[in-house]
Amino acid sequence: MVDHRRLGRELELFHADPLSGAGLPIWLPAGAAARHSVESYVRELERQAGYQHVYSPPLGKRELFELSGHLGYFADDMFPVLRLSADDEFVLRPALCPHHALVYRARGRSYRELPLRIAELGGMYRSERSGVLGGLSRVRAISLNDAHNFCAVEQVGAEVAEILDLIRVAHAALGVRPAGFRLSLRGPGEKYVGDDEMWQHAENLLREALSGLPYVEAPGEAAFYGPKIDIQILDGAGRESTISTIQLDFDKPARFDLSYTDSSGGRSRPVMVHRSLVGSMERLFAYLIEVHSGAFPAWYAPVQVQVLPVGPEQLAAAEAFRQECVRAGLRAELVGDGSLGARVRGAAQRRVPYAAVLGAREVAAGQVALRLRDGRAVEPMAAPDALRMISGIVAAHSAELLP
Ligand SMILES: [Zn+2]
């Protein structure tokens, strides 16, 4: 596997600028286009699974993070408090859960609404030491695919199973190949909230959800508020990190005094399930760039079709075809300069899945000749058929370039 930092530079996906700051990369147009497709896909997958999306600010009052426990248990990983005045202090949030707890308690809740699945692709900040930062894999400004599923205790098992299914679907579409499951448990020390009974209960629920799957146990890797299932990946250097996670939390619902009216009219406390299907956009793309060597599946390739007129006589027809691609929702560009061979090679080097060649014969017949980035050539086909085929591959989130 090639280091994602090198490919990120060569393919102009992102830019690390000392003036922006270590761990604060900038997504360039090509990287942003790929990320946009992935974000849209995940949002739609979640919408179909009953998630409701919200927006919340990346910073909040100091008191919010005192209440959540972050300032007490997680301050080492956070930026220092921002002070406007003595009674107006703010925290760059290290997680989205506190805001989502506020979404939950914005009004009264009934058991009929549970599981209530609140999702957001939101910004958060971690004060990583500059020595460990590199490219997209470790950053200080994080865009997390996050959700908090509030459920009744008896719903937790089914909810976790459903989340595991969604993770599988998302991984298949993106081309993520997990290296294994990990049950992350409490370790020794004082950095955990709650009592033994709470931890035991949460642990048992997760063990049940993992039954039948191979997994390893990792003491000391739990969140400060509860145990979690982590799905691990390996980077090009063989280092392991977490891409997807499901965490059980009995603590925050108590801290925020969350409740719902149960079926007998009494008040009950929900459980909070923190989950991420694909992790942060930064770590996800660090991994995807390496595992695909930059050759993403067509649906999130930065440029999906490069249109190549053989000569200036085909320029108008080529531009018309490019516009049809764009109208069909594809990312397409026209490259007219240089020899055809060099342009076909250039498209493949930039990992563009489809080069559409238009020569005199193709234009006369209303056709295009597709060249794939892996070197395969397709017999010339009617332009609308080519467009339909590519659009179909993209809409299906297929890993293949041909049906
Ligand atoms: Zn959370």
Side-chain angles (χ1 to χ4, degrees):
M1 278 202 263
V2 183
D3 191 305
H4 80 277
R5 287 170 293 191
R6 202 184 104 199
L7 273 176
R9 222 174 12 251
E10 284 172 12
L11 300 172
E12 295 183 61
L13 298 172
F14 63 93
H15 175 57
D17 195 308
L19 212 45
S20 174
L24 297 166
I26 299 166
W27 294 72
L28 297 173
R35 172 174 159 177
H36 185 89
S37 285
V38 168
E39 287 186 9
S40 304
Y41 164 75
V42 172
R43 197 181 304 114
E44 180 58 16
L45 184 67
E46 289 171 340
R47 188 189 68 80
Q48 290 186 22
Y51 286 77
Q52 304 180 66
H53 292 90
V54 298
Y55 291 109
S56 59
L59 78 171
K61 292 279 281 185
R62 175 195 188 112
E63 290 79 356
L64 176 61
F65 297 90
E66 278 167 355
L67 180 60
S68 71
H70 283 95
L71 278 172
Y73 291 88
F74 203 67
D76 288 351
D77 295 286
M78 295 164 61
F79 279 90
V81 171
L82 302 163
R83 189 162 193 234
L84 276 184
S85 65
D87 55 358
D88 223 7
E89 294 186 323
F90 295 90
V91 164
L92 281 174
R93 68 177 172 192
L96 277 65
C97 355
H99 282 101
H100 289 188
L102 298 184
V103 170
Y104 181 93
R105 70 176 203 186
R107 64 166 168 79
R109 300 290 176 181
S110 150
Y111 72 95
R112 290 194 192 82
E113 292 178 82
L114 306 185
L116 182 73
R117 306 179 179 105
I118 300 300
E120 179 173 4
L121 196 131
M124 58 186 223
Y125 299 86
R126 301 263 167 108
S127 64
E128 304 274 6
R129 305 281 153 243
S130 53
V132 304
L133 300 170
L136 293 177
S137 45
R138 283 288 272 278
V139 294
R140 286 171 166 161
I142 299 162
S143 318
L144 187 66
N145 156 246
D146 204 5
H148 296 91
N149 302 10
F150 301 89
C151 27
V153 178
E154 61 273 17
Q155 294 173 325
V156 169
E159 192 63 14
V160 171
E162 227 175 278
I163 295 167
L164 281 170
D165 282 343
L166 273 186
I167 289 174
R168 264 181 223 114
V169 171
H171 284 181
L174 289 160
V176 174
R177 295 162 209 147
F181 291 84
R182 190 175 82 177
L183 178 60
S184 298
L185 303 168
R186 228 173 6 159
E190 298 295 307
K191 51 181 184 155
Y192 303 99
V193 302
D195 54 30
D196 289 349
E197 193 192 351
M198 180 206 97
W199 280 85
Q200 198 56 52
H201 186 191
E203 199 181 305
N204 290 344
L205 286 166
L206 290 183
R207 276 186 204 286
E208 224 164 277
L210 281 170
S211 69
L213 290 170
Y215 66 91
V216 296
E217 296 190 3
E221 295 291 344
F224 72 82
Y225 45 76
K228 53 194 180 115
I229 295 173
D230 291 322
I231 301 177
Q232 305 297 100
I233 47 168
L234 294 176
D235 72 6
R239 281 180 302 244
E240 188 177 310
S241 60
T242 299
I243 191 147
S244 312
T245 187
I246 308 175
Q247 316 179 354
L248 288 196
D249 188 351
F250 292 91
D251 180 61
K252 266 182 217 68
R255 286 172 181 269
F256 282 86
D257 193 23
L258 305 184
S259 68
Y260 62 91
T261 309
D262 59 34
S263 56
S264 55
R267 310 219 50 85
S268 289
R269 185 140 354 262
V271 182
M272 195 170 177
V273 182
H274 311 241
R275 55 105 275 201
S276 181
L277 301 182
V278 295
S280 72
M281 288 299 119
E282 291 79 15
R283 184 175 287 173
L284 174 65
F285 268 91
Y287 173 79
L288 294 175
I289 291 167
E290 291 186 357
V291 82
H292 294 299
S293 295
F296 300 139
W299 67 270
Y300 64 95
V303 174
Q304 295 162 317
V305 185
Q306 205 173 77
V307 187
L308 307 178
V310 171
E313 304 76 32
Q314 289 85 43
L315 199 56
E319 174 56 17
F321 182 67
R322 187 196 68 81
Q323 286 181 21
E324 278 172 48
C325 290
V326 171
R327 269 197 299 276
L330 299 171
R331 293 180 288 272
E333 63 181 28
L334 188 152
V335 178
D337 292 334
S339 78
L340 181 65
R343 281 181 284 152
V344 170
R345 281 194 301 279
Q349 265 160 18
R350 287 187 53 210
R351 320 298 204 259
V352 177
Y354 305 98
V357 178
L358 286 90
R361 228 183 26 212
E362 283 82 19
V363 171
Q367 293 179 324
V368 300
L370 294 181
R371 305 288 196 86
L372 310 187
R373 67 181 165 207
D374 57 17
R376 285 180 288 171
V378 182
E379 284 296 303
M381 60 201 288
D385 291 344
L387 197 53
R388 233 186 331 269
M389 186 201 82
I390 296 170
S391 297
I393 296 274
V394 166
H397 305 106
S398 171
E400 308 295 331
L401 296 183
L402 293 175

